[in-house]
Amino acid sequence: AYMRYNSLALRLVKPNGLLLSFTCSAAMTQSGQFTTIIKESAIKAKRQITLIRELGPAVDHVINPAYTEGSYLSGRLFFCSDSIDLK
């Protein structure tokens, strides 16, 4: 689902626009695959993207070190340049 939604979103972002994508999945956040899936989505959408910032939970969302599953909020901000030519 993440690949599909981000590919569709990237097709709607204007050249030199921004994509902001979030997940609240502990599995996605802790596996480190979130950024990779968005990169693959960009290839599928034929868009060039640059990671600007990795985002996490706000300071009022405390994480208990004894409960690692509590670390599940993450976001990515990307700059989206023109479409790429994949010849």
Side-chain angles (χ1 to χ4, degrees):
Y2 287 102
M3 175 103 52
R4 181 172 181 256
Y5 291 138
N6 282 289
S7 285
L8 291 171
L10 283 161
R11 291 180 183 142
L12 297 174
V13 175
K14 293 180 181 179
N16 302 320
L18 298 173
L19 173 72
L20 188 57
S21 186
F22 285 89
T23 181
C24 59
S25 163
M28 186 65 63
T29 297
Q30 293 172 6
S31 71
Q33 292 299 305
F34 189 48
T35 303
T36 302
I37 287 174
I38 299 172
K39 288 179 190 176
E40 292 171 6
S41 298
I43 292 169
K44 185 176 178 182
K46 299 180 181 176
R47 295 297 301 270
Q48 178 68 40
I49 61 173
T50 303
L51 179 62
I52 296 173
R53 180 161 295 173
E54 293 183 345
L55 306 162
V59 296
D60 65 343
H61 184 81
V62 296
I63 299 170
N64 182 340
Y67 180 67
T68 57
E69 293 83 0
S71 178
Y72 59 89
L73 298 173
S74 62
R76 303 292 181 271
L77 176 62
F78 290 93
F79 174 78
C80 306
S81 56
D82 291 335
S83 298
I84 56 174
D85 187 8
L86 299 174
K87 290 182 182 178

